[in-house]
Amino acid sequence: MSARYEELKGLKNLGQKYAYTDREVMLYAYGIGLGADPMDENELAFVNEGTFTPRPLKVVPTFASVAAWGSGPGEMNLNRVMVVDGERDITFHQPLPVAANITADSSVLEVYDKGKDKGVVIVHQTVLKNEKGEKLATLVASRFARGDGGFGGPNLTQPDPHKIPSRSPDRTIDITTRPDQALVYRLCGDRNPLHSDPEFAKKAGFPRPILHGMCTYGITCRGVLQTYADYDASAFRQHVARFSSPVYPGETVTMDLWKDGDVISFEAKVKSRGVTVIKNGKTVLG
């Protein structure tokens, strides 16, 4: 087995400490577009902590993706300009509190070496726990490093993704993003200049800054929230999505959704460019 494979596979970082308040919770909700209509009471519940009639602030389930921003299994020494998100899979063990001190345990699950000039896919896991040591959420991330690979890892096959139903969608919704949405979302933690610096974006091969993949991921959670979950954040058990193409801030994201019992399948596209941006999406409600 190659030394590079063993190095990556052995990465682990336990007991990372983080804290967040309702400010971060509301910023994330606003960053994925909730609250665009300041008169929408369903959305205000995620972005407004104080009302004339008191009500508890709700936490978007996928806030888990930024609650411990910066946590990870360790330095992977990758060509960062060529690294993109491949997939996110979050399992929710209990509703996230509005404010909390948490710990994050991170480790690499597997490394898929696609070969020289083909890149490598690194799958790592982060488990978020509350102060009692109880699991809040388990995040599995797939990272595609396009500029790495070919170091002699084992010949492994990645698991098949969730299969989308062959019938026509049960529902289709349009979610509009704002031209400045990436500039807001980056305040949740990801300050990669690819999403804010036009010059950097062009050097990375894009005509202008792109929306964070994880913002698009949050938008798909929002789509399920407003349709089949009836804005009940506690109903989410799992939310999975594969990234296939970037969204540019200001574009409209069209979500197709299929409901089979407690499983909601979804895909998302930008019709104006004829591209699919999210594939093989799955939400489990319960």
Side-chain angles (χ1 to χ4, degrees):
M1 198 63 62
S2 78
R4 178 62 171 146
Y5 172 82
E6 295 291 353
E7 174 193 355
L8 289 169
K9 188 72 185 300
L11 290 175
K12 184 178 294 187
N13 194 356
L14 307 179
Q16 304 162 83
K17 295 183 178 181
Y18 293 87
Y20 65 85
T21 68
D22 63 351
R23 180 183 184 278
E24 286 75 32
V25 165
M26 290 184 285
L27 178 61
Y28 176 80
Y30 182 64
I32 63 170
L34 287 167
D37 179 356
M39 296 299 289
D40 186 328
E41 293 289 338
N42 288 317
E43 295 195 0
L44 279 176
F46 293 90
V47 295
N48 176 23
E49 83 289 3
T51 62
F52 186 76
T53 300
R55 69 179 173 207
L57 181 69
K58 292 183 179 182
V59 183
V60 179
T62 50
F63 171 73
S65 64
V66 299
W69 176 257
S71 62
E75 178 55 56
M76 297 182 183
N77 295 311
L78 303 171
N79 180 350
R80 295 189 178 185
V81 175
M82 300 293 286
V83 175
V84 295
D85 275 320
E87 182 175 340
R88 278 298 191 285
D89 179 348
I90 302 182
T91 298
F92 308 98
H93 304 293
Q94 57 180 291
L96 295 171
V98 172
N101 292 305
I102 60 176
T103 59
D105 294 338
S106 302
S107 59
V108 171
L109 297 179
E110 194 50 86
V111 179
Y112 300 93
D113 185 357
K114 294 181 173 293
K116 186 174 176 60
D117 300 324
K118 294 182 179 180
V120 59
V121 175
I122 303 168
V123 182
H124 57 92
Q125 172 182 280
T126 297
V127 180
L128 305 183
K129 299 178 182 178
N130 62 20
E131 289 184 289
K132 296 179 181 179
E134 300 167 334
K135 290 183 180 180
L136 294 171
T138 297
L139 294 69
V140 177
S142 172
R143 184 179 302 184
F144 181 34
R146 298 172 293 167
D148 296 87
F151 49 77
N155 185 19
L156 301 173
T157 301
Q158 292 178 251
D160 292 331
H162 173 66
K163 189 175 182 180
I164 298 297
S166 57
R167 68 181 187 272
S168 298
D170 297 323
R171 294 189 68 169
T172 296
I173 60 172
D174 289 331
I175 299 176
T176 301
T177 65
R178 300 187 308 272
D180 66 343
Q181 195 147 345
L183 298 179
V184 175
Y185 185 84
R186 71 190 296 264
L187 301 180
C188 295
D190 187 351
R191 299 200 181 188
N192 185 336
L194 177 61
H195 309 293
S196 60
D197 186 330
E199 183 181 8
F200 187 94
K202 287 180 180 179
K203 288 187 176 181
F206 298 98
R208 56 193 174 98
I210 62 175
L211 193 63
H212 305 68
M214 289 307 295
C215 183
T216 305
Y217 177 78
I219 287 172
T220 62
C221 176
R222 173 187 165 194
V224 178
L225 262 177
Q226 72 185 59
T227 53
Y228 293 112
D230 194 27
Y231 290 97
D232 181 5
S234 68
F236 282 67
R237 299 292 175 265
Q238 186 183 25
H239 190 70
V240 186
R242 301 186 86 190
F243 306 103
S244 56
S245 188
V247 173
Y248 290 97
E251 292 185 323
T252 296
V253 176
T254 298
M255 278 186 73
D256 292 330
L257 303 101
W258 295 260
K259 186 179 188 302
D260 294 286
D262 291 334
V263 176
I264 311 301
S265 302
F266 62 86
E267 290 196 335
K269 64 189 74 172
V270 174
K271 287 184 176 180
S272 62
R273 288 189 290 118
V275 298
T276 298
V277 295
I278 294 289
K279 292 183 177 181
N280 307 106
K282 179 180 75 171
T283 301
V284 179
L285 303 175

